[in-house]
Amino acid sequence: EGSDPVYVQGRYTFDYQRRVQFGLQLRRPAGGNARELQYGAFLQLRDIGVMHTLVGGNYQASFGHGLVLASPFHSGKTAYAGRVGLQPEGLKRYSSVDGGGLHGAGVTFRHAWSKQTRLDISALYSMKRYNDSTWHHLIGANMTLRHKRLQVELTAIENIYTDSIHPFRDAAYNAHYFRGRRQAVIGASARYNHGWFDLFGEVAASQNTGHWGAGVIAGSRFYPTSGLTLLALYRYYSPWFDNAQGYAFSETSRTGDENGAYIGVEYTGWRYWRLTGYADLFRFTGPKYGLPSAPSWGYDALAEAQYRPSPKWGMTFRLRSRKKGVQFTHSARCQADVTSGGWSFRTPAEANLTH
């Protein structure tokens, strides 16, 4: 059969007033099997009676702050303090064939007592391959109550595998990864906004090989003056907390066995300038991927300045210092962005020192 160097991709999307959306996608990677073909489809209906959202085919689901169920594109650590802990929630179509997202159907029903008080109830199901011989079934539900400035959520999912999974059994860093056929994950989250400050947090528990692991996120965002945003966030994920469907704020890609505190600042009060920065301190009690020694700790500090006097051009300056285990990395970056007519130019210069 051989390989084909030609990359093929096709998309079709139908959109009627954003209430009815339908799409088809197909892709054949270059260099793969000539007969290999990836394909997908989605359907999304919105605001039909009490049914707020209906999705089918490829879709994504995000609730709370990512400890129980979130999209792979859930916002994590970023230089912008105003964005940490904020992400679109609910059910949404997924218009890619990269294998991410969920595959099945989900629905959200909404009942509104007034413009300031409403209740959303969501249910979802997904089925996709875990590996060549095992299928992963996911059943989930969410209840979200919004009343004026307060939002409270309850989320629960059940992961069901057709065969017992044992991911990388001999690797030390995943000694507490979930193993088995069924896993339950439950969580409760809340958010309260009072104009000049915003409080948010989530508590979750995951079933894991005869144990229950706990995960906690708690944060506060302040707006003490015009253009200034301050953020403080704490997270604790016990060693037994493991959930492959969660994408919460974390130093690593896998949420578990982490204790950390993050402080961020963002200032836009000066004309043409945006100043941002953060400092994050974290600790792991057990081995992590690339960090065989345990316990270990690290930090991540960043300062960035953006100067954009015109929509047509701007400059970005960034300094960053990181420690993870025994490795230190320091970097400096300068980037120029220029737009002229139908052309866009981006020219970065970067220096890194690792020891």
Side-chain angles (χ1 to χ4, degrees), residues 256-326:
D257 189 14
E258 183 174 335
N259 193 353
Y262 170 99
I263 297 176
V265 59
E266 181 176 358
Y267 185 67
T268 58
W270 291 342
R271 190 178 183 185
Y272 307 140
W273 287 92
R274 177 192 292 267
L275 305 178
T276 59
Y278 67 76
D280 187 30
L281 184 66
F282 47 86
R283 184 178 186 272
F284 311 121
T285 59
K288 284 284 188 176
Y289 182 78
L291 300 174
S293 61
S296 60
W297 69 279
Y299 69 82
D300 183 4
L302 179 145
E304 181 179 282
Q306 295 183 11
Y307 176 67
R308 183 168 290 277
S310 166
K312 295 185 177 181
W313 75 277
M315 298 287 294
T316 301
F317 309 92
R318 173 183 290 183
L319 296 174
R320 189 176 187 182
S321 178
R322 304 183 68 190
K323 175 190 181 298
K324 200 170 181 180
V326 297

Side-chain angles (χ1 to χ4, degrees), residues 129-346:
R129 283 191 178 274
Y130 177 77
N131 55 35
D132 293 339
S133 60
T134 305
W135 285 84
H136 171 220
H137 301 266
L138 183 145
I139 303 172
N142 170 268
M143 182 176 68
T144 302
L145 176 64
R146 295 177 177 88
H147 177 66
K148 296 183 179 180
R149 301 176 182 271
L150 177 65
Q151 174 177 314
V152 179
E153 294 187 54
L154 299 175
T155 308
I157 64 172
E158 178 83 8
N159 293 303
I160 304 172
Y161 300 89
T162 56
D163 194 9
S164 183
I165 63 172
H166 301 277
F168 307 105
R169 184 179 303 178
D170 297 329
Y173 68 85
N174 60 21
H176 294 118
Y177 281 16
F178 170 75
R179 291 165 172 79
R181 297 187 60 178
R182 300 180 70 99
Q183 181 192 32
V185 186
I186 57 176
S189 66
R191 180 185 299 277
Y192 180 77
N193 179 271
H194 198 273
W196 65 275
F197 71 90
D198 183 24
L199 303 176
F200 59 91
E202 184 172 16
V203 178
S206 66
Q207 191 179 19
N208 190 352
T209 321
H211 300 79
W212 281 88
V216 178
I217 291 179
S220 180
R221 183 180 290 102
F222 297 92
Y223 309 93
T225 185
S226 177
L228 178 62
T229 302
L230 303 176
L231 173 73
L233 183 145
Y234 171 77
R235 77 269 191 189
Y236 168 75
Y237 312 135
S238 71
W240 287 104
F241 183 79
D242 182 59
N243 175 25
Q245 308 306 314
Y247 296 91
F249 186 101
S250 176
E251 171 62 23
T252 63
S253 59
R254 192 93 174 199
T255 305
D257 189 14
E258 183 174 335
N259 193 353
Y262 170 99
I263 297 176
V265 59
E266 181 176 358
Y267 185 67
T268 58
W270 291 342
R271 190 178 183 185
Y272 307 140
W273 287 92
R274 177 192 292 267
L275 305 178
T276 59
Y278 67 76
D280 187 30
L281 184 66
F282 47 86
R283 184 178 186 272
F284 311 121
T285 59
K288 284 284 188 176
Y289 182 78
L291 300 174
S293 61
S296 60
W297 69 279
Y299 69 82
D300 183 4
L302 179 145
E304 181 179 282
Q306 295 183 11
Y307 176 67
R308 183 168 290 277
S310 166
K312 295 185 177 181
W313 75 277
M315 298 287 294
T316 301
F317 309 92
R318 173 183 290 183
L319 296 174
R320 189 176 187 182
S321 178
R322 304 183 68 190
K323 175 190 181 298
K324 200 170 181 180
V326 297
Q327 178 172 295
F328 291 82
T329 303
H330 312 287
S331 64
R333 180 182 179 90
C334 177
Q335 178 175 298
D337 296 277
V338 180
T339 301
S340 178
W343 296 87
S344 296
F345 301 91
R346 172 171 293 178

Side-chain angles (χ1 to χ4, degrees), residues 33-49:
N33 190 295
R35 297 182 179 179
E36 182 179 0
L37 181 66
Q38 301 170 352
Y39 56 90
F42 68 83
L43 171 67
Q44 178 172 295
L45 306 178
R46 293 179 61 87
D47 298 326
I48 301 177

